[in-house]
Amino acid sequence: MAQVLLSVSAALSDQFSQLTGRMAPGWFATHDPIGRKLGSGGGTAHVVHQAWRSLAPEADFESWASEEKRLIIHAGGQSRRLPAYASGGKALVPVPIFRWMRGQRIDQTLLDLQLPLLERLVEQSPPRLRWLIASGDALVWNEAPLGPLPDVDVLCLGLWDNPERASHHGCFFSSRQDPTSLSYMLQKPSVAEIQTRMRDNFFLLDVGIWMLSDRAMRVLMDKSGYDAAGNPIDPDHPPAYDLYSEFGPALGTAPTVIDPAVNALTSGLLDLPSGEFYHFGTNAEIVQSSLALQNRVIDQRRIRSSLPKPHPSIFVQNAITQCSLTPANRDIWIENSQVGPGWSLKQRHVITGVPANEWSCALPPGACLDFVPMAGAGDCYAIRFYGWDDPFRGAFGDPATTWNGVAAIRWAEARDLDSKSLGWDGDLDIQTVPLFPVLDLEAIDGDFVNWLFDATKPNAEASRLFSAAVRKSAEELGSSADLPRLFAQRRKLMQASVPILAAHANRSVFHQIDLAHAAEAFHATGAPLPEAAPEANGALLPFLHDRMFRASVERLRHGDPAPLEKQAFEALRQEVIDRFRNIGKTPVSTFLRDQVVWGRAPARLDLAGGWSDTPPYCFLAGGNVVNLAADLNGQPPIQVFARLCAEPHLAVQSIDLGQSVCFKTYEDLAHYQGLNSSFAIPRAAFALAGFHPQFLQRPRHRTLAEQLREFGGGIEISLLCAIPKGSGLGTSSILAGTILGVLSEAGSLGWSLDEIGARVLAVEQMLTSGGGWQDQFGGLLRSLKLLQTGPGLDQKPVARWLPDNLFRSPAHQPQCLLYYTGLTRVAHNILGEIVRGMFLNRRDVLRHLDSISQHAFATAEAIQSDDFDGLARCVRRSWMLNQALDVGTNPPELQRMLAPLEDWVGGMKLLGAGGGGYLLMLAKDAGAAGRIRRHLGANPPNDGARFVEMTPSNEGLRITRS
């Protein structure tokens, strides 16, 4: 993850890490100098300078700036039109759980939702685009893969939109001949002007995400008053410089502002064709954007709650709400509050920060209420009362300046209060007028709250209390709020909501949230676990989530989650295996007496998407994988020979291991459970092929010997795996598929490759090793392909064939190197931990898996485009994504081996789960490939390390007879 630099409110700046748990050096927060207006450009330069001086005071600016890529998020500002979140910053606005999305945390913020796209942009951008600048009050939602990012000094992201909406934002214009090149930018052009310019130009809506090179950042800092060493020239009087109205219009091939330094920067555009823009800048927008996000998915298969109807415009989170809410209520936002049964609500309310109370309140339409705990003031709160549409802008005495929906000056007059005695200067901007009383909680009652909004009922005590109170302005509340108290109240209310959600898990979003995080919140409440859900009985996924959530709570409370975890893994195991119980037909021999049935299969080289094929992730989201079936040293490395024998037994010989075994009873075959069971794979394969009554539709034999005598004799199979154990080439799964293919041919079972691959999933579950579907289908199906499945328990990959020219042509084949590292690592333990994260909807695990799955499309596109360098970059990113999911993928001994090769390799990854086995390297050119071969030939990491020649397999699994 890139380092994140934030500009936040003064109140939050010094307490950011303490309150959010986001620590330096990965996170840094500061605020603009109080009382100075820097502009968005000057504010960016200020954040960068403050981060440098705080995080690396001994380093020179240029060295520090070039260390890594960084995200800069502007999350401060006065928040005049969203006052409830002024002190904490709009980026920390709590956002409701989406009913169609998994892995969300119950305390998620806008910042949490912004980061995945921003991090993806940073990861996939050209090296020189080192800085990303984003707005803290906007969310850009983009599930589709990103296109190629132009290698320019300034890259601006935009969305296709209509002129009406674009007129409220910045607009990027490009020529119709070159849509990726920025011609010029206009800030809030009129609808008519946009329409006129559309005759010769395309336009994109500026979504507030810009990427800058070091050169562009240097120019921006120069314009903002910083010298070449990165220091402010006049710290007391910094110039204001705006990114969007000054810097942006000077960019492009036909800039509208002449500024030679900015004009000289190269610029480009990246459109997000499927992107969506949600603004959180006003009271109305937090409700409207949340509503649009809730209802953006209408596919009932993705909506986890039991009532997939349109979501109402009422949002309650981190709150205890006991008042009656009916269909007549709308546009309501209740957060971090207790709203009791004595409250009456109408519509267009934002209610935040309200502490525990027993008031009777009746809020009129448009009334908003915010309780702000005050620092150093005991149990005192500033009561911020305001109107839904109040802009908090303009001179207080100007009749056009509204407050609570009326002329601000009239509020006091309507209550027979004297504005001057209250200290309300009519010439002051309303943001600076001390409007809001600071009162002890015990002094506040429902009548006082009603009086704030309703002047028709005189209340002498309320008038006296208001007049005598210390009052704060909106500007002061932004810097003097007691944020630890505010956050503590929110956390306490959030935790209290978890047992309620858990108790109604069958009709709430509970089973789709991050259950590991929810378990921590549940544990903190001390509440007993709700009554356990019944056995799976057709509802597998809810059962898995239920048991794993309970196991997580048990781990925190008693340290022993094993029984509950075992129930979850066993339920998944049985779901896969049960699909094949009691359905098979009795095998009938097709052997001739002297005939051998011979199965041969290539290895599987995974290029992208691995892990997305693994249950339960693929059950919920489907999977996308790009892999290559490859012969090694000119031969299919996995081979199985079968022949009929006179003895009524099933004999197995491993040529490469020099071991053999003989199964004479059904009980012998049933001992397949566990990877350490002797010849577990052939045991399970024989059982699935109908040599065990458990998998037959109509079992007719009392013993295996009796069945084999009717079959015409026993079967002897010989196995040859010319690949070391722990290779990462899918050996176990492909071996299982090859055995099943041979038995299908020998026993006239007639299975297709799809049916064989599906049964391999069952073999893996029978062995308790688990696993996905890409290993077997990667080897059973020929050559290079994109394999895809959709959500659902019945995973049937669809193969989309890709050209294998990049691995076969004389121009590129020498650059494709396969190297056995001599290091081994068994994937079983890795798999168990990652699957545990899938069961629990862990946010980090699901985000990594989503990125891995989406990356398969970019890899397929590079292959389709015959782009070797692009494929190398994709392979490199695949390994980076795998390492983000599992740090053990790249062990220290491997890092030492690879360090000298870095300059020669365009992309490389350990195959399979990583940690050892085979390494795929795509050299930058033939000369680099030769240097890699010579270096590793002279410096092998161990005695077993070696290069292995690979070629794409044109056949996949091949079954023949002698």
Side-chain angles (χ1 to χ4, degrees):
M1 175 178 168
Q3 188 179 56
V4 182
L5 314 180
L6 292 109
S7 175
V8 297
S9 68
L12 179 60
S13 177
D14 293 337
Q15 305 175 85
F16 177 80
S17 294
Q18 168 197 344
L19 295 175
T20 66
R22 291 170 159 134
M23 312 299 291
W27 294 83
F28 173 79
T30 188
H31 61 87
D32 285 352
I34 296 175
R36 299 177 188 166
K37 295 186 181 301
L38 300 181
S40 53
T44 298
H46 177 74
V47 171
V48 171
H49 175 263
Q50 291 293 304
W52 164 46
R53 300 315 299 156
S54 298
L55 299 175
E58 303 302 321
D60 64 88
F61 177 77
E62 187 174 349
S63 298
W64 173 78
S66 62
E67 281 179 357
E68 59 181 312
K69 294 187 175 184
R70 294 179 173 88
L71 298 175
I72 301 169
I73 300 177
H74 289 287
Q78 293 181 319
S79 195
R80 292 177 184 244
R81 300 190 66 192
L82 186 62
Y85 296 100
S87 57
K90 295 177 187 176
L92 296 186
V93 170
V95 178
I97 297 294
F98 307 146
R99 55 195 182 150
W100 46 265
M101 181 181 172
R102 294 181 306 121
Q104 304 161 95
R105 290 189 173 181
I106 196 169
D107 61 351
Q108 71 182 4
T109 64
L110 180 57
L111 179 61
D112 293 318
L113 298 174
Q114 291 171 321
L115 284 174
L117 174 62
L118 302 183
E119 290 173 351
R120 194 150 47 108
L121 285 164
V122 169
E123 289 172 3
Q124 296 181 227
S125 64
R128 70 165 161 166
L129 285 175
R130 194 178 296 279
W131 306 88
L132 185 148
I133 304 170
S135 172
D137 64 356
L139 173 64
V140 178
W141 194 266
N142 185 75
E143 294 182 342
L146 298 172
L149 275 62
D151 191 2
V152 291
D153 286 316
V154 181
L155 178 62
C156 303
L157 271 71
L159 297 178
W160 303 105
D161 213 321
N162 59 62
E164 289 72 21
R165 190 179 190 192
S167 66
H168 300 288
H169 301 272
C171 287
F172 302 121
F173 291 85
S174 65
S175 72
R176 290 179 173 268
Q177 290 71 38
D178 187 5
T180 65
S181 177
L182 174 65
S183 295
Y184 55 88
M185 177 190 181
L186 296 178
Q187 188 67 10
K188 296 184 179 180
S190 68
V191 172
E193 184 172 11
I194 295 173
Q195 291 173 335
T196 298
R197 293 176 182 271
M198 285 175 64
R199 296 169 188 165
D200 301 310
N201 300 274
F202 292 122
F203 81 91
L204 293 172
L205 171 74
D206 176 15
V207 296
I209 301 175
W210 295 31
M211 302 189 74
L212 275 63
S213 68
D214 283 341
R215 177 189 177 200
M217 180 58 73
R218 179 65 267 160
V219 171
L220 181 63
M221 293 192 71
D222 176 68
K223 297 295 176 183
S224 303
Y226 289 81
D227 62 24
N231 294 307
I233 296 171
D234 186 355
D236 296 326
H237 303 91
Y241 186 71
D242 193 73
L243 188 69
Y244 306 106
S245 64
E246 295 182 87
F247 187 80
L251 295 169
T253 57
T256 58
V257 170
I258 302 304
D259 183 326
V262 183
N263 298 158
L265 299 173
T266 60
S267 56
L269 296 175
L270 177 68
D271 70 286
L272 301 172
S274 62
E276 303 161 26
F277 182 70
Y278 302 95
H279 204 219
F280 287 75
T282 69
N283 299 316
E285 284 174 343
I286 62 170
V287 173
Q288 292 164 0
S289 291
S290 296
L291 184 64
L293 283 161
Q294 286 290 350
N295 292 327
R296 67 176 293 273
V297 172
I298 59 175
D299 184 339
Q300 297 172 28
R301 294 167 298 181
R302 294 182 63 186
I303 297 175
R304 309 298 178 192
S305 67
S306 59
L307 299 172
K309 60 185 180 182
H311 195 286
S313 59
I314 299 173
F315 295 94
V316 179
Q317 51 183 331
N318 309 319
I320 296 174
T321 303
Q322 298 167 306
C323 67
S324 174
L325 292 173
T326 72
N329 297 114
R330 56 185 172 84
D331 294 340
I332 293 176
W333 178 277
I334 303 173
E335 194 272 321
N336 192 16
S337 296
Q338 297 198 37
V339 178
W343 288 58
S344 173
L345 304 181
K346 296 292 189 291
Q347 57 195 36
R348 294 183 294 125
H349 302 306
V350 173
I351 301 171
T352 48
V354 179
N357 66 87
E358 297 180 356
W359 305 330
S360 293
C361 305
L363 300 189
C368 300
L369 192 60
D370 178 34
F371 276 65
V372 184
M374 300 306 296
D379 201 21
C380 287
Y381 292 84
I383 307 177
R384 179 167 18 209
F385 56 103
Y386 59 99
W388 175 267
D389 293 316
D390 289 352
F392 280 94
R393 191 173 299 279
F396 179 77
D398 186 337
T401 301
T402 57
W403 177 38
N404 286 292
V406 299
I409 195 68
R410 304 301 175 211
W411 186 90
E413 294 176 359
R415 289 161 179 77
D416 295 325
L417 297 174
D418 179 52
S419 295
K420 290 187 178 179
S421 66
L422 293 173
W424 294 353
D425 187 335
D427 294 330
L428 291 177
D429 185 285
I430 190 173
Q431 184 78 357
T432 65
V433 176
L435 302 174
F436 307 115
V438 177
L439 297 170
D440 189 278
L441 185 60
E442 291 183 355
I444 306 168
D445 59 19
D447 291 338
F448 180 79
V449 174
N450 290 331
W451 174 81
L452 293 174
F453 293 104
D454 185 0
T456 63
K457 298 178 181 178
N459 186 327
E461 176 58 22
S463 179
R464 183 200 66 77
L465 189 62
F466 187 91
S467 299
V470 173
R471 288 173 299 279
K472 298 285 185 179
S473 68
E475 185 173 79
E476 289 173 311
L477 292 181
S479 59
S480 60
D482 188 342
L483 291 182
R485 280 177 62 198
L486 182 71
F487 277 58
Q489 177 175 303
R490 176 178 290 140
R491 183 171 57 254
K492 183 177 179 180
L493 288 168
M494 179 273 291
Q495 291 172 344
S497 69
V498 175
I500 299 170
L501 276 174
H504 300 90
N506 62 326
R507 53 189 177 89
S508 74
V509 297
F510 185 72
H511 281 153
Q512 72 191 63
I513 66 175
D514 183 330
L515 294 171
H517 177 261
E520 294 175 358
F522 192 101
H523 170 60
T525 68
L529 283 164
E531 184 178 348
E535 297 302 313
N537 295 328
L540 174 67
L541 296 175
F543 178 83
L544 298 179
H545 293 316
D546 174 84
R547 290 304 188 267
M548 292 303 287
F549 167 71
R550 294 172 184 280
S552 294
V553 175
E554 286 297 310
R555 176 183 284 108
L556 292 167
R557 290 183 174 176
H558 308 297
D560 183 20
L564 288 165
E565 284 192 357
K566 184 177 180 180
Q567 289 181 32
F569 280 97
E570 183 64 19
L572 175 61
R573 178 173 172 262
Q574 293 305 325
E575 174 70 26
V576 176
I577 298 172
D578 284 351
R579 297 168 60 82
F580 302 101
R581 294 189 198 276
N582 306 316
I583 66 167
K585 63 181 182 180
T586 301
V588 176
S589 176
T590 62
F591 282 108
L592 298 178
R593 276 290 164 193
D594 59 348
Q595 195 170 50
V596 173
V597 177
W598 183 13
R600 289 150 289 175
R604 180 273 300 133
L605 278 60
D606 59 301
L607 305 181
W611 288 115
S612 73
D613 62 306
T614 305
Y617 178 84
C618 61
F619 290 164
L620 291 160
N624 303 294
V625 174
V626 175
N627 63 32
L628 171 70
D631 292 335
L632 305 183
N633 292 330
Q635 295 291 332
I638 299 167
Q639 304 195 20
V640 175
F641 309 86
R643 70 179 186 88
L644 204 63
C645 64
E647 293 295 320
H649 63 208
L650 301 172
V652 185
Q653 176 189 14
S654 171
I655 297 172
D656 52 291
L657 296 178
Q659 298 176 0
S660 60
V661 69
C662 188
F663 309 128
K664 298 182 178 180
T665 67
Y666 290 139
E667 186 178 11
D668 288 341
L669 290 181
H671 291 162
Y672 45 69
Q673 204 172 100
L675 280 173
N676 295 323
S677 174
S678 175
F679 291 94
I681 292 174
R683 288 178 198 261
F686 274 125
L688 275 171
F691 291 98
H692 194 287
Q694 194 178 68
F695 296 95
L696 290 173
Q697 186 176 20
R698 296 184 181 86
R700 296 183 289 105
H701 305 98
R702 290 175 301 142
T703 66
L704 177 60
E706 181 182 323
Q707 180 178 352
L708 290 173
R709 277 191 285 269
E710 183 178 299
F711 184 78
I715 302 175
E716 292 181 354
I717 64 173
S718 299
L719 314 177
L720 173 62
C721 293
I723 307 175
K725 185 178 181 181
S727 66
L729 301 187
T731 312
S732 297
S733 299
I734 299 171
L735 173 63
T738 307
I739 297 173
L740 288 169
V742 165
L743 294 177
S744 172
E745 174 69 18
S748 63
L749 300 175
W751 293 335
S752 67
L753 290 177
D754 285 345
E755 291 172 314
I756 292 170
R759 283 168 170 80
V760 174
L761 275 176
V763 169
E764 290 167 336
Q765 293 297 334
M766 292 163 75
L767 271 57
T768 71
S769 60
W773 43 255
Q774 83 131 328
D775 287 354
Q776 59 267 33
F777 284 101
L780 297 178
L781 301 178
R782 64 176 174 84
S783 195
L784 192 56
K785 60 270 182 192
L786 168 65
L787 296 169
Q788 294 179 271
T789 63
L793 298 180
D794 189 12
Q795 291 285 293
K796 293 182 178 178
V798 174
R800 306 188 186 280
W801 302 104
L802 302 172
D804 61 11
N805 177 62
L806 296 179
F807 291 92
R808 192 182 293 279
S809 72
H812 297 300
Q813 193 276 333
Q815 296 172 250
C816 303
L817 306 175
L818 186 63
Y819 186 73
Y820 179 60
T821 64
L823 307 173
T824 59
R825 184 188 189 203
V826 178
H828 180 50
N829 293 334
I830 313 163
L831 178 67
E833 188 57 36
I834 293 174
V835 169
R836 185 175 289 107
M838 296 177 188
F839 281 140
L840 289 169
N841 295 326
R842 268 182 47 189
R843 182 174 67 183
D844 57 335
V845 171
L846 294 187
R847 282 184 179 176
H848 290 320
L849 289 167
D850 289 344
S851 296
I852 285 170
S853 183
Q854 287 296 315
H855 180 56
F857 296 113
T859 305
E861 177 64 27
I863 294 168
Q864 288 279 17
S865 302
D866 204 30
D867 181 359
F868 187 86
D869 292 339
L871 174 60
R873 289 191 296 272
C874 287
V875 167
R876 181 180 290 272
R877 176 162 166 76
S878 289
W879 198 24
M880 290 173 60
L881 290 170
N882 285 359
Q883 290 177 72
L885 187 64
D886 169 30
V887 294
T889 291
N890 189 6
E893 54 267 46
L894 189 74
Q895 295 175 35
R896 290 191 292 271
M897 184 192 87
L898 298 181
L901 311 179
E902 187 63 39
D903 291 341
W904 305 326
V905 179
M908 58 185 166
K909 75 180 293 285
L910 281 174
L911 299 171
Y918 279 83
L919 173 72
L920 175 66
M921 294 176 281
L922 301 181
K924 292 181 177 179
D925 51 47
R931 288 188 286 274
I932 293 170
R933 286 184 178 275
R934 288 191 294 273
H935 175 83
L936 290 177
N939 304 280
N942 51 65
D943 293 341
R946 59 191 179 273
F947 281 99
V948 176
E949 299 305 314
M950 64 168 180
T951 52
S953 168
N954 289 327
E955 296 178 307
L957 175 64
R958 184 182 181 193
I959 307 292
T960 59
R961 291 173 179 266
S962 62

